[in-house]
Amino acid sequence: MATDFPDRQVGRKVGQPLPTPPPRTKCPAPFLSKTYDLLEEEEAERVRRRSEAHGGGDGSGGGRRVVTWNGEGTGFVVWSPAEFSELMLPRYFKHNNFSSFIRQLNTYGFKKTASKRWEFQHEKFQRGRRDLLVEISRKKGEPSAFPAYLRAAGENENAEEENNRLLLMEENKNLRKERIELELQIEHFKALQTHLFECLSHYINNPQAKVRRLC
């Protein structure tokens, strides 16, 4: 006689489909999270320094700005690229290449919005809206374009390097000239010293010359 055996898995009948696993939570790209954290931590540090300054009465106003959110919180400004590269990038991104940081911004669709300062914006990158970071994705299906502002910055750096090289060459030339002049002066003084020693020796070894000199 046939016997029906119940399914051994508790809570599920025979033929019932397995439950669908919950959807995986989408996380923002590490580059975006680190950039956001950098700005938030710098903002908190500036507030703390400003509070201490008011409490101490020195009126320093929070210290020198390196990178901050812009006034509206819709983007951020790198006020000092040199200090940003030296102090911030190694701490958050393990490198100190400002051009590489800008290229990363470009791949995520950030735009440079000011001509006289390093200000960048993205419609989904806003102060107090970390939740929007997951909606920012890398550009796809587009050729790797080198931003015009970054290209200009690279050209300026190359021009500055060439200018520094020429200045160093000119300085090296002047130093060689000064060295030659110093060597000539040293030879002149050596000859003068030798002549003085000869005169002194002749004066000491010739008593008649001393008598004539005293008379």
Side-chain angles (χ1 to χ4, degrees):
M1 183 175 63
T3 303
D4 293 330
F5 292 97
D7 194 321
R8 292 181 180 275
Q9 295 188 18
V10 178
R12 187 174 68 88
K13 296 180 179 180
V14 176
Q16 182 178 353
L18 292 171
T20 303
R24 184 177 298 177
T25 303
K26 186 177 180 182
C27 297
F31 172 79
L32 300 173
S33 295
K34 289 179 180 180
T35 303
Y36 194 93
D37 289 341
L38 181 156
L39 289 163
E40 290 293 280
E41 290 172 15
E42 285 303 302
E43 182 73 12
E45 180 65 17
R46 280 183 56 79
V47 170
R48 184 188 66 80
R49 289 197 301 263
R50 189 180 299 115
S51 176
E52 291 179 352
H54 289 323
D58 62 1
S60 61
R64 176 180 174 83
R65 294 183 299 179
V66 177
V67 57
T68 65
W69 291 102
N70 64 9
E72 298 77 21
T74 56
F76 66 95
V77 183
V78 179
W79 299 99
S80 176
E83 292 183 75
F84 181 76
S85 301
E86 180 182 355
L87 303 175
M88 306 298 179
L89 290 183
R91 190 193 312 170
Y92 291 90
F93 300 100
K94 310 303 181 185
H95 68 81
N96 60 356
N97 192 323
F98 187 54
S99 296
S100 176
F101 176 76
I102 296 176
R103 280 193 293 270
Q104 281 282 83
L105 290 176
N106 183 62
T107 62
Y108 285 99
F110 283 76
K111 302 296 182 183
K112 188 172 184 292
T113 57
S115 60
K116 295 184 179 181
R117 65 183 186 182
W118 295 98
E119 180 173 351
F120 304 94
Q121 291 186 13
H122 189 291
E123 60 180 3
K124 302 294 185 181
F125 194 87
Q126 301 176 18
R127 181 172 53 200
R129 295 299 309 273
R130 185 186 291 272
D131 57 295
L132 294 178
L133 296 182
V134 296
E135 300 182 29
I136 303 176
S137 58
R138 280 179 176 271
K139 294 180 180 179
K140 295 182 180 179
E142 296 182 8
S144 178
F146 204 62
Y149 56 83
L150 189 56
R151 189 163 57 244
E155 292 172 356
N156 290 337
E157 289 177 1
N158 292 336
E160 185 176 354
E161 288 178 1
E162 178 64 17
N163 186 49
N164 289 338
R165 187 181 68 84
L166 294 175
L167 288 175
L168 287 173
M169 290 178 62
E170 182 66 23
E171 184 177 358
N172 192 31
K173 181 180 177 181
N174 292 334
L175 288 173
R176 283 199 303 268
K177 183 178 178 181
E178 291 178 4
R179 181 176 61 83
I180 292 173
E181 291 177 352
L182 287 173
E183 288 177 350
L184 291 174
Q185 290 180 10
I186 290 172
E187 290 299 322
H188 172 72
F189 288 127
K190 283 183 177 180
L192 181 60
Q193 183 183 40
T194 300
H195 179 69
L196 289 173
F197 278 132
E198 290 176 352
C199 290
L200 182 61
S201 177
H202 178 72
Y203 181 75
I204 293 174
N205 296 327
N206 191 345
Q208 294 181 357
K210 287 193 286 185
V211 172
R212 287 197 299 270
R213 184 63 178 264
L214 290 172
C215 296

